[in-house]
Amino acid sequence: MTSGKEGSKKKTYSKRIARLRKLIVGAVIASCLIPTCICVILAIKCDRLSTAYAQSQADLEWYRGRFGTEMEILAGSDSGDALASLGSSAFEEPVYEEDFESDMAIVDLSGAQNPEDIEGVRYVYLTFDDGPSSSTNDILDILAEYDVKATFFVCGKPDARYTDVYKRIVDEGHTLGMHSYSHKYSTLYSSVDAFSEDFEQLRLFLVNTTGVWSKYYRFPGGSSNDVSKVPMTDFVSVLDDADVTFFDWNVSAGDDRAGATKETIYNNIVSNVPRFKHCVVLLHDAADKKSTVEALPEIIEAILAMDDTVIVPITDDTLPVQHIKY
Ligand code: ZN
């Protein structure tokens, strides 16, 4: 009996030992695997973050490069002092704030009918200048979420990181417009030849990148800018010869002004859209314009909530808003 009891005790012990061994082996494997998995996940996240950071830095460098050049030109212009006071984000569309009201007096489109118009419908065209940038994908995500199509007036950025972004704009049904290759006022507006060269460079770059011949143009600073010493109508002739239409705007987000916040951007757009039946809204797609991205969902919701109002991309049937007569 005693030896029988001892035998069963031995069996119980050896079972416990086997269980303990399994437990220890399991714990050892888990203690190796879990940190390895965490390391792999962290490494992937770290890589993504550093790529995003590098892209943001590249964007900022791009803008700083242009900012310096443009402020030199502006300093010599009539509006130089006023512009200097607008701060570092004022390089874009620099004369807009000063001239907006007078532009509106020349071009009052509040009652204009769009050729594609259905009577009574308000057409809102969201347009984004200066891209692509590290913000473009976020903007495209928001537009996709609301199933809204917009227009991107892009510059020439041959960096491989942007190739897919240009393509995404086109693939997702948005309109691809041009905003000069270089965005350098000093060379762009120095002569008709310089403008033509820049225009052709961007047009060919875009067709090579996306397969699309863009037919729409927005002048850096708008057609009513005070920077160009060459009459802007000379540049419009260049576009005309290429069957390209230029578009200014009648509603601005004001996101190029120093201190623009999500709230001011929202208010600038939502309070002005009801003034017009035909709204071309100027916004910016840039690395340092995160407030624009933050404000965008609420802007779209507010516009879509307005009676008889649609948001559409610019097409051949769109009546252009133009600050200068041609
Ligand atoms: Zn611009």
Side-chain angles (χ1 to χ4, degrees):
M1 286 298 282
T2 314
S3 67
K5 270 188 182 177
E6 278 176 4
S8 79
K9 265 187 182 177
K10 272 185 183 175
K11 272 186 185 174
T12 312
Y13 280 137
S14 59
K15 271 186 186 173
R16 279 184 187 169
I17 289 166
R19 214 178 293 147
L20 208 63
R21 198 180 290 152
K22 276 184 188 169
L23 212 66
I24 291 167
V25 170
V28 168
I29 292 172
S31 67
C32 290
L33 275 180
I34 292 169
T36 309
C37 290
I38 291 172
C39 280
V40 169
I41 292 166
L42 285 177
I44 291 168
K45 284 197 171 177
C46 189
D47 185 55
R48 281 185 189 160
L49 276 175
S50 66
T51 307
Y53 177 74
Q55 195 163 330
S56 296
Q57 288 302 105
D59 286 341
L60 287 172
E61 282 307 311
W62 189 85
Y63 285 103
R64 281 192 194 115
R66 272 132 196 85
F67 170 68
T69 316
E70 280 157 21
M71 288 313 285
E72 280 170 27
I73 298 292
L74 294 168
S77 76
D78 293 337
S79 53
D81 290 345
L83 289 162
S85 69
L86 291 175
S88 64
S89 65
F91 71 91
E92 167 61 5
E93 275 67 57
V95 295
Y96 148 76
E97 192 170 22
E98 294 285 303
D99 290 354
F100 185 66
E101 288 305 321
S102 58
D103 291 336
M104 295 310 305
I106 298 164
V107 186
D108 181 6
L109 285 159
S110 55
Q113 291 299 298
N114 193 346
E116 68 195 358
D117 202 4
I118 300 167
E119 200 174 341
V121 173
R122 174 184 291 108
Y123 287 83
V124 180
Y125 303 85
L126 299 179
T127 67
F128 295 89
D129 284 12
D130 298 348
S133 75
S134 55
S135 298
T136 316
N137 278 321
D138 293 336
I139 293 171
L140 288 168
D141 288 345
I142 294 166
L143 295 172
E145 192 184 325
Y146 289 92
D147 194 20
V148 159
K149 306 298 178 202
T151 302
F152 289 81
F153 288 104
V154 297
C155 295
K157 300 184 189 179
D159 192 312
R161 285 172 301 183
Y162 292 126
T163 305
D164 287 342
V165 184
Y166 285 108
K167 286 180 183 164
R168 189 178 166 198
I169 291 171
V170 170
D171 290 346
E172 296 190 4
H174 305 288
T175 296
L176 189 68
M178 296 174 278
H179 191 50
S180 83
Y181 190 94
S182 68
H183 206 285
K184 281 184 184 169
Y185 291 36
S186 52
T187 46
L188 184 67
Y189 295 141
S190 62
S191 68
V192 170
D193 283 348
F195 180 85
S196 298
E197 194 180 319
D198 180 284
F199 166 69
E200 287 302 333
Q201 188 182 4
L202 179 60
R203 213 176 180 208
L204 288 173
F205 170 73
L206 292 181
V207 79
N208 287 332
T209 308
T210 67
V212 170
W213 286 100
S214 176
K215 294 181 284 182
Y216 315 105
Y217 196 92
R218 171 163 290 145
F219 291 106
S223 68
S224 54
N225 77 78
D226 285 345
V227 180
S228 178
K229 301 301 176 202
V230 178
M232 289 302 289
T233 47
D234 289 2
F235 303 136
V236 176
S237 294
V238 173
L239 300 180
D240 232 27
D241 290 345
D243 269 336
V244 168
T245 307
F246 77 92
F247 283 78
D248 288 311
W249 58 90
N250 54 0
V251 173
S252 172
D255 54 354
D256 52 336
R257 294 177 208 161
T261 62
K262 180 186 166 185
E263 288 71 28
T264 59
I265 291 167
Y266 174 90
N267 287 331
N268 285 338
I269 294 175
V270 174
S271 64
N272 281 301
V273 164
R275 295 169 58 205
F276 306 100
K277 290 293 287 179
H278 180 89
C279 307
V280 178
V281 182
L282 169 69
L283 299 113
H284 291 85
D285 167 9
D288 62 345
K289 306 269 187 298
K290 297 297 180 200
S291 299
T292 307
V293 180
E294 286 168 20
L296 191 56
E298 286 170 39
I299 290 168
I300 293 172
E301 284 171 24
I303 293 172
L304 293 179
M306 293 175 191
D307 288 339
D308 299 322
T309 302
V310 291
I311 300 176
V312 285
I314 284 173
T315 68
D316 290 350
D317 292 329
T318 305
L319 182 71
V321 169
Q322 297 176 336
H323 293 168
I324 57 166
K325 288 194 188 292
Y326 175 63

